[in-house]
Amino acid sequence: MREPTRCHWASLVSSPLYLEYHDKEWGVPAWDDATQFEFLILEGAQAGLSWSTILNKRDGYRAAFAGFDPERIAKFGKRDVARLMKDPGIVRNRLKIESAIGNAKAFLAFQGDFARHLWSFVGGKPLQNNIAEHGKVPATSPESDALSKDLKKRGFRFVGSTIIYAHMQATGMVNDHLTSCFRHKQCKALAKKAA
């Protein structure tokens, strides 16, 4: 059976986990707080690293960060930071660990529906880009600039515009599957269903 045409980046790493992530998760609209929070933690951890590194450590993050439960993470103290700095299942970077804890606190301090707030920066529905070439996929957008600024003002860290744009791609707030990729039309259809 012939392999479907995928986004360029999905073929860069020879990993069933990576392909499954591209084929089933990346670009699917995430309307819930839990998924949005998980990706904020993971995208912040990824800064300066490859996404395959984070994807391979995702289960380690789930275990180390209490299943991405913000209430539990927000209670982490110095002992937890010391424990996490020794955990090979995650990226052992003190700033990233401390920012995950701080982001859990900022998330809990948010008044209202967090996911709905994030979606408001794209008008409440996925932006549909129609990009044919890998080199034309943007790293930021006016929407990611505005959302990054908003999150920083609320005390979130590791939320620069590039990280936030990657977050928006991952959580389906923007459909950046290449037009040649079999997932482009599928994610576009998911967006119409939600509208």
Side-chain angles (χ1 to χ4, degrees):
M1 188 169 148
R2 192 168 159 249
E3 279 289 305
T5 302
R6 294 181 172 93
C7 294
H8 172 74
W9 63 264
S11 62
L12 295 177
V13 178
S14 179
S15 158
L17 187 65
Y18 207 61
L19 287 180
E20 183 178 354
Y21 173 72
H22 171 272
D23 291 359
K24 296 184 179 171
E25 193 172 5
W26 193 75
V28 173
W31 305 102
D32 62 294
D33 284 1
T35 304
Q36 289 287 349
F37 179 71
E38 176 178 346
F39 273 98
L40 269 180
I41 299 292
L42 294 175
E43 294 291 351
Q46 189 252 335
L49 302 170
S50 71
W51 182 247
S52 63
T53 298
I54 300 305
L55 206 52
N56 287 324
K57 291 181 178 284
R58 193 175 190 180
D59 287 339
Y61 269 91
R62 281 197 181 109
F65 285 92
F68 297 108
D69 180 341
E71 290 188 10
R72 290 176 61 194
I73 297 169
K75 293 176 184 168
F76 284 7
K78 288 181 182 178
R79 282 185 182 174
D80 295 292
V81 172
R83 169 183 56 84
L84 292 168
M85 285 295 293
K86 295 175 187 166
D87 189 337
I90 66 166
V91 175
R92 292 173 283 185
N93 176 300
R94 184 173 298 278
L95 289 176
K96 291 179 179 182
I97 290 167
E98 289 173 347
S99 80
I101 297 166
N103 287 352
K105 291 174 183 173
F107 176 86
L108 293 176
F110 183 84
Q111 299 295 313
D113 185 327
F114 184 73
R116 184 181 299 244
H117 178 70
L118 298 187
W119 278 96
S120 73
F121 284 82
V122 293
K125 61 184 182 190
L127 300 176
Q128 297 298 319
N129 286 339
N130 292 298
I131 301 168
E133 297 173 43
H134 171 70
K136 302 249 170 113
V137 178
T140 63
S141 69
E143 294 83 3
S144 69
D145 292 346
L147 180 50
S148 169
K149 189 175 177 184
D150 175 83
L151 291 173
K152 285 178 183 175
K153 200 165 47 174
R154 295 173 187 277
F156 288 88
R157 290 167 42 204
F158 279 90
V159 289
S161 188
T162 303
I163 290 171
I164 290 303
Y165 193 76
H167 174 90
M168 291 167 65
Q169 291 172 312
T171 60
M173 294 170 69
V174 59
N175 180 3
D176 270 352
H177 283 284
L178 298 181
T179 51
S180 58
C181 176
F182 82 102
R183 289 292 286 159
H184 180 79
K185 284 183 184 171
Q186 291 175 358
C187 286
K188 196 171 189 174
L190 288 172
K192 282 182 184 171
K193 240 186 243 183

